[in-house]
Amino acid sequence: MSTPDYRLSQLETLEAESIHVIREVVAELERPVLLFSGGKDSIVMLELARKAFAPARIPFPVMHVDTGLNFPDVLEFRDKRVAELGVQLVVASVPDAIAAGTVKEEPNGSRNRIQTPVLLDAVEEHGFTALFGGARRDEDKARAKERVFSFRDEFGQWDPKNQRPELWDLYNGRIHLGESIRVFPLSNWTELDIWQYILREEIAIPALYLAQERDVVERQGMLYAVNEFIRPRDGEQVRRETVRYRTVGDANLTAAVLSQATTVEDVIAEIAVTRMTERGATRGDDKVSDAAMEDRKKEGYF
Amino acid sequence: MSASTLPAGAADLAFARKDILRIATAGSVDDGKSTLIGRLLYDSKAIFEDQYEAVERASKGDYVDLALLTDGLRAEREQGITIDVAYRYFSTPRRTFILADTPGHVQYTRNMVTGASTADLAIVLVDARKGMLEQSRRHAFLASLLRVPHLVVAVNKMDLVGWSEDVYESIRDEFSAFAAKLNVPDLTVIPISALNGDNVVTHSANTPWYEGTTLLHHLEHVHVASDRNLVDARFPVQYVIRPQSDAFHDYRGYAGTVASGVLRPGDEVQVLPSGLTTTIAAIDGPRGPVAEAFPPMAVTVRLTDDVDVSRGDLICRPANAPVATQDVDALVCWMADEPLRPRQRIAIKHTTRTVRGAVKELAYRLDVNTLHRDTEAGELGLNDIGRVRLRATQPLFVDDYTRNRVTGRFILVDEATNATVGAGMLTPAG
């Protein structure tokens, strides 16, 4: 694999860097947890965690903040993967929190904002001190600014103007009681890197990521597949299109893209020439404002 | 737009052989730094339509303000400055680039150091009309302090000095003299216009007198393979893997990232601090056993003897060990509001070993503009750099930073606030 001059390829370098980060967290922090949604980025992150500790089991649980709006295939995939690896799954449920009255449903139906307090409550309940997230710096302007070890205060808040210096690969995971560190092992991966790695390592992914014929409606130039969360509204024409999902967020907000890609190789070929970002093409929830992500992170969002 | 760079992807058969070059850019927004980065991204098709449209909408002037692509925080947009490092990704068929866009202002020096610490190459941007300013000197000095192996000076806005060869040459000569003092191993000076794209991706007809390469060509071809230390085997143990399962009842693996040198099964090795010698039985990589491990591979080393090894220990060759010492002499970049003073207690994180320590002595504070050493300085303030002697409660296994960028570096952590307050580079004692 490696070239004779002892250089690693791009994917090998990223992989080594991520494994180093994951091991460092486990060595330095008491109670880590990995945020696993069954989406492609967290699937790759979980695979890297498996490699970091093989042949031993992954020495921490995984957690899913379940908004109650997930694609059923993705939840099924989540449970299957967790069982295969023999890791404990903690589910923090937004519907339960709504029922208990700890959070209120937002008028626009998005549970993006209200999942933050649910996450923070679960972190407090289980005493987690480090949370692995699958965010990549190429996803958003605010994320491009975030450290690999992102310090959060007792409210989970990110202070972008006062981040800890992060030198070389010497990560500082020291915290006081109640504080936590969000860790992003995939910081330097791009969407294309994730797919190339899925291909190279033959990693299983939910079927939604590959193209299939679906009933769709068009809203604000985006195609939404009709499902239990998306019902055609008055005047909307349902049509049959071959589509795939570039990202898997909440089923009521995530759009699909026209695609003929039925294999991972096909997906890579399409992404390599696409002219739209992953979130720009598919997420109704990130278009709120130019600084939407920065504002959410300041409140404790990933 | 140039067609010389195509998006890299499935059609790129060389993908598996592509490597990564890490770049840090320094300079102020006024020097055209954001425009240059925007151009590199735009010309290598790393900017997507929706990002470009958002920038178009937000641009207030007559042209699309590419700076808006790189300044992501609300405060940065409001003030028109870069506060913290932003990471950008682009690639050409030859290479993938991770670009750390760092702030130029002196009050954000610590953020520039953060961005430059992992770089293979630093680009310092200079305005051709202004020449080498205090800020450019500081950027070049910090890059040399961190031993960023390759330095590129991009002389920007050449269109505003009539593409004058004399202007270019005087800036080049000034930088060469400064770089000679700093022991910069590789300096390249390129005349460009980021706004118009001259010599960024394509050769400019405006500089017939310039015989060098374009900036992108240089980034694609700069030779970084020999920048790493492949001579001195150093393996700091990060984590001990003990499955404690029936299938792997006796498995004990020492996980870590190779700091330098090459390790192979069969090698005789020594474990520090115990000094015990043993042999490497096997090395497990992410996909199973490997025949050799070199930096920056993250592997698990198994030893033939059941010796006691834990996190913070270091595996090396018996005839080539780092220095074990509790006395650390280093150049320190101080990053906290509260100054560093002699007798102060502090935690030192070096490789996978964190120890407590104290500041013994501040030998001098360095003026980064004149390189003058002030031996009378009683403290190091925020963003100051100085030579410090530390005393650690336990031995550290160190090499000089000039020889080994991994075992020659450390960070300082304030034990009360837990903040990262300093970065240190080990220098020979004396």
Side-chain angles (χ1 to χ4, degrees), chain A residues 3 6 10 15 17 20 24 145 168-169 171-172 188 200-201 275 277 290 294-295, chain B residues 18 22 47 49-50 74 76-77 84 89 96 228 238 257 287 311 349 418 420:
Chain A
T3 48
Y6 293 113
Q10 170 182 345
E15 174 186 66
E17 191 179 84
H20 176 85
E24 197 61 15
K145 294 265 166 186
W168 303 293
D169 58 352
Y171 300 104
N172 174 3
N188 288 325
R200 186 185 126 164
E201 303 294 307
R275 300 301 312 134
T277 60
D290 214 21
E294 182 183 346
D295 294 340
Chain B
K18 269 173 50 153
R22 290 169 203 259
I47 292 175
E49 277 170 27
D50 47 319
R74 195 188 292 275
E76 292 177 323
R77 288 166 172 252
D84 211 332
Y89 304 84
T96 290
R228 294 154 313 138
Q238 193 181 10
T257 300
R287 266 161 296 284
R311 174 174 167 88
K349 183 172 184 181
N418 290 329
T420 305

mmCIF file of all heavy atoms in Angstrom, chain A residues 3 6 10 15 17 20 24 145 168-169 171-172 188 200-201 275 277 290 294-295, chain B residues 18 22 47 49-50 74 76-77 84 89 96 228 238 257 287 311 349 418 420:
data_model
loop_
_atom_site.group_PDB
_atom_site.id
_atom_site.type_symbol
_atom_site.label_atom_id
_atom_site.label_comp_id
_atom_site.label_asym_id
_atom_site.label_seq_id
_atom_site.Cartn_x
_atom_site.Cartn_y
_atom_site.Cartn_z
ATOM 1 N N THR A 3 4.123 3.739 -0.357
ATOM 2 C CA THR A 3 5.120 3.945 -1.387
ATOM 3 C C THR A 3 6.504 3.660 -0.790
ATOM 4 O O THR A 3 6.683 3.712 0.406
ATOM 5 C CB THR A 3 5.049 5.402 -1.882
ATOM 6 O OG1 THR A 3 5.027 6.239 -0.722
ATOM 7 C CG2 THR A 3 3.805 5.649 -2.682
ATOM 8 N N TYR A 6 8.356 5.631 2.141
ATOM 9 C CA TYR A 6 7.731 5.702 3.453
ATOM 10 C C TYR A 6 6.738 6.853 3.576
ATOM 11 O O TYR A 6 6.779 7.620 4.522
ATOM 12 C CB TYR A 6 8.802 5.821 4.554
ATOM 13 C CG TYR A 6 9.641 4.591 4.690
ATOM 14 C CD1 TYR A 6 10.992 4.611 4.374
ATOM 15 C CD2 TYR A 6 9.083 3.392 5.125
ATOM 16 C CE1 TYR A 6 11.771 3.471 4.486
ATOM 17 C CE2 TYR A 6 9.854 2.243 5.237
ATOM 18 C CZ TYR A 6 11.195 2.291 4.919
ATOM 19 O OH TYR A 6 11.950 1.174 5.033
ATOM 20 N N GLN A 10 -3.199 9.606 1.106
ATOM 21 C CA GLN A 10 -4.146 10.522 1.740
ATOM 22 C C GLN A 10 -5.064 9.817 2.741
ATOM 23 O O GLN A 10 -5.204 10.253 3.887
ATOM 24 C CB GLN A 10 -4.932 11.151 0.610
ATOM 25 C CG GLN A 10 -6.123 11.945 1.005
ATOM 26 C CD GLN A 10 -6.831 12.474 -0.219
ATOM 27 O OE1 GLN A 10 -6.279 12.469 -1.317
ATOM 28 N NE2 GLN A 10 -8.042 12.947 -0.042
ATOM 29 N N GLU A 15 -6.670 8.289 8.279
ATOM 30 C CA GLU A 15 -7.026 7.175 9.152
ATOM 31 C C GLU A 15 -6.111 7.150 10.382
ATOM 32 O O GLU A 15 -6.583 7.027 11.526
ATOM 33 C CB GLU A 15 -6.895 5.879 8.358
ATOM 34 C CG GLU A 15 -7.083 4.601 9.151
ATOM 35 C CD GLU A 15 -6.778 3.369 8.307
ATOM 36 O OE1 GLU A 15 -5.605 3.173 7.916
ATOM 37 O OE2 GLU A 15 -7.712 2.608 8.029
ATOM 38 N N GLU A 17 -4.368 9.587 11.681
ATOM 39 C CA GLU A 17 -4.634 10.768 12.501
ATOM 40 C C GLU A 17 -5.881 10.554 13.368
ATOM 41 O O GLU A 17 -5.885 10.872 14.563
ATOM 42 C CB GLU A 17 -4.853 11.941 11.544
ATOM 43 C CG GLU A 17 -4.902 13.295 12.142
ATOM 44 C CD GLU A 17 -5.092 14.348 11.037
ATOM 45 O OE1 GLU A 17 -6.239 14.588 10.628
ATOM 46 O OE2 GLU A 17 -4.090 14.912 10.569
ATOM 47 N N HIS A 20 -5.275 8.028 16.184
ATOM 48 C CA HIS A 20 -4.476 8.677 17.228
ATOM 49 C C HIS A 20 -5.374 9.512 18.154
ATOM 50 O O HIS A 20 -5.246 9.452 19.375
ATOM 51 C CB HIS A 20 -3.411 9.569 16.582
ATOM 52 C CG HIS A 20 -2.603 10.365 17.556
ATOM 53 N ND1 HIS A 20 -1.496 9.855 18.191
ATOM 54 C CD2 HIS A 20 -2.740 11.631 18.040
ATOM 55 C CE1 HIS A 20 -0.996 10.773 19.006
ATOM 56 N NE2 HIS A 20 -1.731 11.862 18.931
ATOM 57 N N GLU A 24 -6.220 8.813 22.144
ATOM 58 C CA GLU A 24 -5.816 9.841 23.095
ATOM 59 C C GLU A 24 -6.960 10.190 24.053
ATOM 60 O O GLU A 24 -6.750 10.385 25.247
ATOM 61 C CB GLU A 24 -5.344 11.090 22.327
ATOM 62 C CG GLU A 24 -4.528 12.080 23.127
ATOM 63 C CD GLU A 24 -3.214 11.525 23.692
ATOM 64 O OE1 GLU A 24 -2.765 10.445 23.241
ATOM 65 O OE2 GLU A 24 -2.665 12.171 24.599
ATOM 66 N N LYS A 145 -13.726 26.325 11.660
ATOM 67 C CA LYS A 145 -12.982 27.065 12.668
ATOM 68 C C LYS A 145 -12.750 26.264 13.941
ATOM 69 O O LYS A 145 -12.115 26.745 14.869
ATOM 70 C CB LYS A 145 -13.786 28.321 13.058
ATOM 71 C CG LYS A 145 -13.912 29.316 11.938
ATOM 72 C CD LYS A 145 -12.838 30.348 12.052
ATOM 73 C CE LYS A 145 -12.717 31.148 10.766
ATOM 74 N NZ LYS A 145 -11.592 32.063 10.801
ATOM 75 N N TRP A 168 0.210 20.991 17.308
ATOM 76 C CA TRP A 168 0.639 19.691 16.793
ATOM 77 C C TRP A 168 -0.456 18.648 17.056
ATOM 78 O O TRP A 168 -1.619 18.923 16.777
ATOM 79 C CB TRP A 168 1.980 19.294 17.442
ATOM 80 C CG TRP A 168 3.056 20.303 17.235
ATOM 81 C CD1 TRP A 168 3.648 20.636 16.042
ATOM 82 C CD2 TRP A 168 3.659 21.154 18.223
ATOM 83 N NE1 TRP A 168 4.587 21.618 16.256
ATOM 84 C CE2 TRP A 168 4.618 21.951 17.559
ATOM 85 C CE3 TRP A 168 3.488 21.309 19.615
ATOM 86 C CZ2 TRP A 168 5.410 22.886 18.244
ATOM 87 C CZ3 TRP A 168 4.274 22.239 20.285
ATOM 88 C CH2 TRP A 168 5.219 23.012 19.599
ATOM 89 N N ASP A 169 -0.028 17.470 17.577
ATOM 90 C CA ASP A 169 -1.058 16.480 17.927
ATOM 91 C C ASP A 169 -1.081 16.297 19.438
ATOM 92 O O ASP A 169 -1.407 15.237 19.948
ATOM 93 C CB ASP A 169 -0.766 15.147 17.223
ATOM 94 C CG ASP A 169 0.596 14.590 17.583
ATOM 95 O OD1 ASP A 169 1.379 15.297 18.261
ATOM 96 O OD2 ASP A 169 0.898 13.449 17.194
ATOM 97 N N TYR A 171 -3.005 17.044 22.268
ATOM 98 C CA TYR A 171 -4.345 17.515 22.606
ATOM 99 C C TYR A 171 -4.495 17.686 24.109
ATOM 100 O O TYR A 171 -3.986 16.877 24.886
ATOM 101 C CB TYR A 171 -5.385 16.534 22.064
ATOM 102 C CG TYR A 171 -5.301 16.395 20.567
ATOM 103 C CD1 TYR A 171 -4.724 15.273 19.985
ATOM 104 C CD2 TYR A 171 -5.750 17.419 19.735
ATOM 105 C CE1 TYR A 171 -4.617 15.155 18.608
ATOM 106 C CE2 TYR A 171 -5.640 17.310 18.360
ATOM 107 C CZ TYR A 171 -5.075 16.180 17.795
ATOM 108 O OH TYR A 171 -4.964 16.075 16.440
ATOM 109 N N ASN A 172 -5.186 18.735 24.500
ATOM 110 C CA ASN A 172 -5.404 19.020 25.911
ATOM 111 C C ASN A 172 -6.845 18.680 26.273
ATOM 112 O O ASN A 172 -7.772 19.389 25.900
ATOM 113 C CB ASN A 172 -5.109 20.500 26.178
ATOM 114 C CG ASN A 172 -5.439 20.918 27.601
ATOM 115 O OD1 ASN A 172 -5.842 20.094 28.432
ATOM 116 N ND2 ASN A 172 -5.276 22.199 27.888
ATOM 117 N N ASN A 188 -10.510 16.538 9.495
ATOM 118 C CA ASN A 188 -9.832 16.828 8.228
ATOM 119 C C ASN A 188 -10.298 15.974 7.050
ATOM 120 O O ASN A 188 -9.700 16.008 5.983
ATOM 121 C CB ASN A 188 -8.318 16.673 8.403
ATOM 122 C CG ASN A 188 -7.742 17.803 9.234
ATOM 123 O OD1 ASN A 188 -8.210 18.946 9.140
ATOM 124 N ND2 ASN A 188 -6.752 17.512 10.047
ATOM 125 N N ARG A 200 -13.026 1.625 -0.014
ATOM 126 C CA ARG A 200 -11.780 0.893 0.208
ATOM 127 C C ARG A 200 -11.905 -0.154 1.307
ATOM 128 O O ARG A 200 -11.380 -1.261 1.204
ATOM 129 C CB ARG A 200 -10.686 1.887 0.560
ATOM 130 C CG ARG A 200 -9.337 1.257 0.658
ATOM 131 C CD ARG A 200 -8.311 2.261 1.116
ATOM 132 N NE ARG A 200 -7.645 1.689 2.283
ATOM 133 C CZ ARG A 200 -6.501 2.129 2.758
ATOM 134 N NH1 ARG A 200 -5.928 3.134 2.214
ATOM 135 N NH2 ARG A 200 -5.947 1.552 3.804
ATOM 136 N N GLU A 201 -12.609 0.199 2.373
ATOM 137 C CA GLU A 201 -12.732 -0.699 3.524
ATOM 138 C C GLU A 201 -13.966 -1.593 3.443
ATOM 139 O O GLU A 201 -14.236 -2.363 4.356
ATOM 140 C CB GLU A 201 -12.766 0.109 4.822
ATOM 141 C CG GLU A 201 -11.565 1.006 5.029
ATOM 142 C CD GLU A 201 -10.274 0.224 5.219
ATOM 143 O OE1 GLU A 201 -10.258 -0.660 6.106
ATOM 144 O OE2 GLU A 201 -9.308 0.480 4.479
ATOM 145 N N ARG A 275 -21.468 20.209 -8.047
ATOM 146 C CA ARG A 275 -21.147 21.613 -7.834
ATOM 147 C C ARG A 275 -21.891 22.192 -6.625
ATOM 148 O O ARG A 275 -21.979 23.385 -6.458
ATOM 149 C CB ARG A 275 -21.480 22.444 -9.097
ATOM 150 C CG ARG A 275 -20.739 22.036 -10.360
ATOM 151 C CD ARG A 275 -19.201 22.098 -10.251
ATOM 152 N NE ARG A 275 -18.726 23.332 -9.672
ATOM 153 C CZ ARG A 275 -17.789 23.408 -8.727
ATOM 154 N NH1 ARG A 275 -17.246 22.320 -8.251
ATOM 155 N NH2 ARG A 275 -17.405 24.567 -8.268
ATOM 156 N N THR A 277 -22.592 21.812 -2.258
ATOM 157 C CA THR A 277 -22.138 21.182 -1.023
ATOM 158 C C THR A 277 -23.200 20.209 -0.537
ATOM 159 O O THR A 277 -24.366 20.290 -0.897
ATOM 160 C CB THR A 277 -21.898 22.205 0.099
ATOM 161 O OG1 THR A 277 -23.116 22.883 0.355
ATOM 162 C CG2 THR A 277 -20.829 23.204 -0.278
ATOM 163 N N ASP A 290 -26.703 32.835 7.664
ATOM 164 C CA ASP A 290 -25.307 32.603 7.374
ATOM 165 C C ASP A 290 -24.556 32.059 8.578
ATOM 166 O O ASP A 290 -23.568 31.367 8.445
ATOM 167 C CB ASP A 290 -24.701 33.940 6.948
ATOM 168 C CG ASP A 290 -23.633 33.722 5.908
ATOM 169 O OD1 ASP A 290 -23.664 32.658 5.277
ATOM 170 O OD2 ASP A 290 -22.790 34.596 5.769
ATOM 171 N N GLU A 294 -23.016 28.452 13.683
ATOM 172 C CA GLU A 294 -22.254 29.084 14.770
ATOM 173 C C GLU A 294 -23.164 29.320 15.969
ATOM 174 O O GLU A 294 -22.805 29.029 17.112
ATOM 175 C CB GLU A 294 -21.653 30.405 14.284
ATOM 176 C CG GLU A 294 -20.817 31.109 15.333
ATOM 177 C CD GLU A 294 -20.276 32.461 14.863
ATOM 178 O OE1 GLU A 294 -20.323 32.746 13.650
ATOM 179 O OE2 GLU A 294 -19.817 33.220 15.713
ATOM 180 N N ASP A 295 -24.357 29.843 15.718
ATOM 181 C CA ASP A 295 -25.296 30.133 16.809
ATOM 182 C C ASP A 295 -25.714 28.860 17.528
ATOM 183 O O ASP A 295 -25.792 28.826 18.750
ATOM 184 C CB ASP A 295 -26.532 30.859 16.272
ATOM 185 C CG ASP A 295 -26.168 32.254 15.750
ATOM 186 O OD1 ASP A 295 -25.096 32.762 16.145
ATOM 187 O OD2 ASP A 295 -26.939 32.808 14.963
ATOM 188 N N LYS B 18 -2.146 9.395 -3.973
ATOM 189 C CA LYS B 18 -2.075 10.822 -3.647
ATOM 190 C C LYS B 18 -1.671 11.009 -2.199
ATOM 191 O O LYS B 18 -2.079 10.237 -1.342
ATOM 192 C CB LYS B 18 -3.444 11.468 -3.867
ATOM 193 C CG LYS B 18 -3.577 12.003 -5.273
ATOM 194 C CD LYS B 18 -4.922 12.493 -5.643
ATOM 195 C CE LYS B 18 -5.629 13.442 -4.756
ATOM 196 N NZ LYS B 18 -6.569 14.266 -5.489
ATOM 197 N N ARG B 22 0.191 19.787 3.933
ATOM 198 C CA ARG B 22 -0.449 20.720 4.865
ATOM 199 C C ARG B 22 0.204 22.091 4.726
ATOM 200 O O ARG B 22 1.423 22.218 4.833
ATOM 201 C CB ARG B 22 -0.300 20.227 6.304
ATOM 202 C CG ARG B 22 -1.147 18.996 6.564
ATOM 203 C CD ARG B 22 -0.787 18.357 7.883
ATOM 204 N NE ARG B 22 -1.168 16.961 7.864
ATOM 205 C CZ ARG B 22 -2.274 16.475 8.452
ATOM 206 N NH1 ARG B 22 -3.085 17.272 9.101
ATOM 207 N NH2 ARG B 22 -2.555 15.197 8.382
ATOM 208 N N ILE B 47 -14.681 25.261 -4.549
ATOM 209 C CA ILE B 47 -15.802 26.086 -4.090
ATOM 210 C C ILE B 47 -17.047 25.626 -4.819
ATOM 211 O O ILE B 47 -17.055 25.483 -6.040
ATOM 212 C CB ILE B 47 -15.540 27.577 -4.378
ATOM 213 C CG1 ILE B 47 -14.396 28.064 -3.507
ATOM 214 C CG2 ILE B 47 -16.795 28.399 -4.112
ATOM 215 C CD1 ILE B 47 -13.984 29.475 -3.785
ATOM 216 N N GLU B 49 -21.190 25.770 -5.876
ATOM 217 C CA GLU B 49 -22.086 26.822 -6.340
ATOM 218 C C GLU B 49 -22.836 27.503 -5.209
ATOM 219 O O GLU B 49 -22.969 28.722 -5.166
ATOM 220 C CB GLU B 49 -23.102 26.248 -7.333
ATOM 221 C CG GLU B 49 -22.566 26.156 -8.745
ATOM 222 C CD GLU B 49 -23.495 25.362 -9.652
ATOM 223 O OE1 GLU B 49 -24.701 25.331 -9.364
ATOM 224 O OE2 GLU B 49 -22.998 24.783 -10.627
ATOM 225 N N ASP B 50 -23.352 26.690 -4.266
ATOM 226 C CA ASP B 50 -24.157 27.319 -3.209
ATOM 227 C C ASP B 50 -23.295 28.192 -2.300
ATOM 228 O O ASP B 50 -23.744 29.223 -1.816
ATOM 229 C CB ASP B 50 -24.958 26.282 -2.412
ATOM 230 C CG ASP B 50 -24.156 25.074 -1.980
ATOM 231 O OD1 ASP B 50 -23.341 24.575 -2.780
ATOM 232 O OD2 ASP B 50 -24.344 24.625 -0.843
ATOM 233 N N ARG B 74 -19.140 35.190 12.898
ATOM 234 C CA ARG B 74 -19.877 36.443 12.827
ATOM 235 C C ARG B 74 -18.958 37.634 13.142
ATOM 236 O O ARG B 74 -18.958 38.639 12.422
ATOM 237 C CB ARG B 74 -21.027 36.379 13.825
ATOM 238 C CG ARG B 74 -22.087 37.416 13.637
ATOM 239 C CD ARG B 74 -23.056 37.370 14.804
ATOM 240 N NE ARG B 74 -23.861 36.153 14.837
ATOM 241 C CZ ARG B 74 -24.995 35.999 14.151
ATOM 242 N NH1 ARG B 74 -25.416 36.959 13.363
ATOM 243 N NH2 ARG B 74 -25.685 34.898 14.259
ATOM 244 N N GLU B 76 -15.822 37.890 12.820
ATOM 245 C CA GLU B 76 -14.827 38.111 11.770
ATOM 246 C C GLU B 76 -15.438 38.888 10.610
ATOM 247 O O GLU B 76 -14.815 39.773 10.040
ATOM 248 C CB GLU B 76 -14.286 36.773 11.268
ATOM 249 C CG GLU B 76 -13.461 36.047 12.322
ATOM 250 C CD GLU B 76 -12.976 34.692 11.864
ATOM 251 O OE1 GLU B 76 -13.737 34.007 11.152
ATOM 252 O OE2 GLU B 76 -11.857 34.316 12.228
ATOM 253 N N ARG B 77 -16.665 38.545 10.293
ATOM 254 C CA ARG B 77 -17.329 39.254 9.203
ATOM 255 C C ARG B 77 -17.599 40.695 9.585
ATOM 256 O O ARG B 77 -17.451 41.609 8.780
ATOM 257 C CB ARG B 77 -18.644 38.559 8.857
ATOM 258 C CG ARG B 77 -18.404 37.248 8.163
ATOM 259 C CD ARG B 77 -19.663 36.418 8.127
ATOM 260 N NE ARG B 77 -19.402 35.272 7.276
ATOM 261 C CZ ARG B 77 -19.917 35.125 6.057
ATOM 262 N NH1 ARG B 77 -20.724 36.024 5.567
ATOM 263 N NH2 ARG B 77 -19.621 34.081 5.343
ATOM 264 N N ASP B 84 -9.439 33.421 14.134
ATOM 265 C CA ASP B 84 -8.915 32.098 14.416
ATOM 266 C C ASP B 84 -8.676 31.321 13.128
ATOM 267 O O ASP B 84 -9.131 31.706 12.065
ATOM 268 C CB ASP B 84 -9.876 31.333 15.342
ATOM 269 C CG ASP B 84 -9.112 30.360 16.244
ATOM 270 O OD1 ASP B 84 -8.025 29.896 15.833
ATOM 271 O OD2 ASP B 84 -9.597 30.064 17.337
ATOM 272 N N TYR B 89 -10.013 22.761 2.352
ATOM 273 C CA TYR B 89 -9.601 21.529 1.688
ATOM 274 C C TYR B 89 -9.746 21.693 0.189
ATOM 275 O O TYR B 89 -10.792 22.103 -0.289
ATOM 276 C CB TYR B 89 -10.476 20.368 2.191
ATOM 277 C CG TYR B 89 -10.394 20.267 3.688
ATOM 278 C CD1 TYR B 89 -11.194 21.056 4.511
ATOM 279 C CD2 TYR B 89 -9.435 19.465 4.291
ATOM 280 C CE1 TYR B 89 -11.060 21.042 5.893
ATOM 281 C CE2 TYR B 89 -9.294 19.435 5.661
ATOM 282 C CZ TYR B 89 -10.107 20.220 6.455
ATOM 283 O OH TYR B 89 -9.955 20.205 7.814
ATOM 284 N N THR B 96 -3.519 16.335 -2.427
ATOM 285 C CA THR B 96 -4.607 16.911 -1.655
ATOM 286 C C THR B 96 -3.998 17.914 -0.685
ATOM 287 O O THR B 96 -2.909 17.675 -0.155
ATOM 288 C CB THR B 96 -5.328 15.801 -0.873
ATOM 289 O OG1 THR B 96 -6.022 15.001 -1.812
ATOM 290 C CG2 THR B 96 -6.332 16.375 0.101
ATOM 291 N N ARG B 228 10.812 14.202 7.103
ATOM 292 C CA ARG B 228 10.584 13.476 8.348
ATOM 293 C C ARG B 228 11.852 12.756 8.792
ATOM 294 O O ARG B 228 12.713 12.430 7.989
ATOM 295 C CB ARG B 228 9.459 12.457 8.173
ATOM 296 C CG ARG B 228 8.107 13.117 7.922
ATOM 297 C CD ARG B 228 7.213 12.185 7.160
ATOM 298 N NE ARG B 228 7.920 11.605 6.025
ATOM 299 C CZ ARG B 228 7.832 10.341 5.669
ATOM 300 N NH1 ARG B 228 7.066 9.524 6.331
ATOM 301 N NH2 ARG B 228 8.503 9.895 4.627
ATOM 302 N N GLN B 238 0.893 5.036 23.796
ATOM 303 C CA GLN B 238 -0.278 5.876 24.020
ATOM 304 C C GLN B 238 -1.317 5.176 24.890
ATOM 305 O O GLN B 238 -1.967 5.803 25.720
ATOM 306 C CB GLN B 238 -0.870 6.215 22.643
ATOM 307 C CG GLN B 238 -1.907 7.314 22.643
ATOM 308 C CD GLN B 238 -2.442 7.569 21.238
ATOM 309 O OE1 GLN B 238 -2.177 6.799 20.307
ATOM 310 N NE2 GLN B 238 -3.195 8.646 21.082
ATOM 311 N N THR B 257 1.378 6.067 18.038
ATOM 312 C CA THR B 257 1.698 6.604 16.725
ATOM 313 C C THR B 257 3.217 6.704 16.625
ATOM 314 O O THR B 257 3.858 7.235 17.531
ATOM 315 C CB THR B 257 1.041 7.991 16.560
ATOM 316 O OG1 THR B 257 -0.373 7.827 16.695
ATOM 317 C CG2 THR B 257 1.345 8.600 15.203
ATOM 318 N N ARG B 287 -5.266 -2.705 9.393
ATOM 319 C CA ARG B 287 -5.783 -3.825 8.606
ATOM 320 C C ARG B 287 -5.034 -5.120 8.898
ATOM 321 O O ARG B 287 -4.931 -5.971 8.054
ATOM 322 C CB ARG B 287 -5.671 -3.503 7.107
ATOM 323 C CG ARG B 287 -6.920 -2.891 6.493
ATOM 324 C CD ARG B 287 -6.635 -2.187 5.200
ATOM 325 N NE ARG B 287 -5.748 -1.066 5.435
ATOM 326 C CZ ARG B 287 -6.133 0.085 5.979
ATOM 327 N NH1 ARG B 287 -7.383 0.252 6.324
ATOM 328 N NH2 ARG B 287 -5.277 1.056 6.174
ATOM 329 N N ARG B 311 1.286 3.651 29.383
ATOM 330 C CA ARG B 311 1.199 4.940 28.698
ATOM 331 C C ARG B 311 2.261 5.888 29.242
ATOM 332 O O ARG B 311 2.473 5.981 30.443
ATOM 333 C CB ARG B 311 -0.187 5.563 28.915
ATOM 334 C CG ARG B 311 -0.297 6.991 28.351
ATOM 335 C CD ARG B 311 -1.708 7.529 28.445
ATOM 336 N NE ARG B 311 -1.760 8.968 28.194
ATOM 337 C CZ ARG B 311 -1.902 9.525 26.984
ATOM 338 N NH1 ARG B 311 -1.987 8.754 25.917
ATOM 339 N NH2 ARG B 311 -1.961 10.833 26.841
ATOM 340 N N LYS B 349 3.021 18.612 28.866
ATOM 341 C CA LYS B 349 2.599 17.437 28.106
ATOM 342 C C LYS B 349 3.572 17.238 26.948
ATOM 343 O O LYS B 349 3.656 18.076 26.044
ATOM 344 C CB LYS B 349 1.161 17.564 27.583
ATOM 345 C CG LYS B 349 0.723 16.286 26.849
ATOM 346 C CD LYS B 349 -0.743 16.248 26.480
ATOM 347 C CE LYS B 349 -1.070 14.894 25.843
ATOM 348 N NZ LYS B 349 -2.471 14.775 25.423
ATOM 349 N N ASN B 418 -6.720 24.701 33.547
ATOM 350 C CA ASN B 418 -6.677 23.667 32.512
ATOM 351 C C ASN B 418 -6.436 24.224 31.113
ATOM 352 O O ASN B 418 -6.523 23.510 30.120
ATOM 353 C CB ASN B 418 -7.959 22.821 32.477
ATOM 354 C CG ASN B 418 -8.076 21.932 33.693
ATOM 355 O OD1 ASN B 418 -7.067 21.503 34.232
ATOM 356 N ND2 ASN B 418 -9.295 21.674 34.119
ATOM 357 N N THR B 420 -4.470 25.613 27.810
ATOM 358 C CA THR B 420 -3.179 25.435 27.152
ATOM 359 C C THR B 420 -2.521 26.808 27.121
ATOM 360 O O THR B 420 -3.047 27.730 26.489
ATOM 361 C CB THR B 420 -3.369 24.905 25.722
ATOM 362 O OG1 THR B 420 -4.139 23.700 25.779
ATOM 363 C CG2 THR B 420 -2.030 24.620 25.048
#
